Amino acid sequence: MALSKQEVNLAVQKYGKNAADTGSTEVQIALLTDRIADLTAHLKKNHGDACARRSLLILVGKRHSLLSYLASHDREAYEKLIASLGLRK
């Protein structure tokens, strides 16, 4: 369920400020979105996996917090990011 190094590197290249920028808000949101998509696909096959469901809710909460932070500090980056990730807001 963890993201591969290649997936992480693609997200860093696309959303980061440089190749080593793994801590910016945009990159963290992109990585959380990828993990949420993986967990959602897992839960469609395994309906009774309560641990995965709880993990999914935790990740969604973290992503929501980061999106709220980004919206309040840099509105243009927020709108650009949700458009490129295909998120609703």
Side-chain angles (χ1 to χ4, degrees), residues 14-28:
K14 187 171 182 181
Y15 299 104
K17 295 174 179 80
N18 57 40
D21 182 23
T22 58
S24 70
T25 308
E26 292 91 346
V27 174
Q28 289 182 37

Side-chain angles (χ1 to χ4, degrees), residues 12-86:
V12 170
Q13 288 174 359
K14 187 171 182 181
Y15 299 104
K17 295 174 179 80
N18 57 40
D21 182 23
T22 58
S24 70
T25 308
E26 292 91 346
V27 174
Q28 289 182 37
I29 292 170
L31 292 175
L32 284 172
T33 301
D34 290 343
R35 289 181 62 196
I36 288 169
D38 288 346
L39 270 175
T40 303
H42 170 77
L43 283 171
K44 286 182 180 179
K45 292 184 226 171
N46 304 293
H47 299 287
D49 192 351
C51 291
R53 183 169 289 111
R54 181 176 186 276
S55 298
L56 177 65
L57 291 174
I58 290 170
L59 292 177
V60 169
K62 284 182 184 180
R63 183 177 70 180
H64 177 75
S65 298
L66 288 170
L67 283 169
S68 297
Y69 170 81
L70 189 61
S72 66
H73 284 77
D74 190 358
R75 190 68 182 182
E76 289 179 20
Y78 167 77
E79 291 173 359
K80 182 179 167 186
L81 183 67
I82 62 169
S84 67
L85 291 175

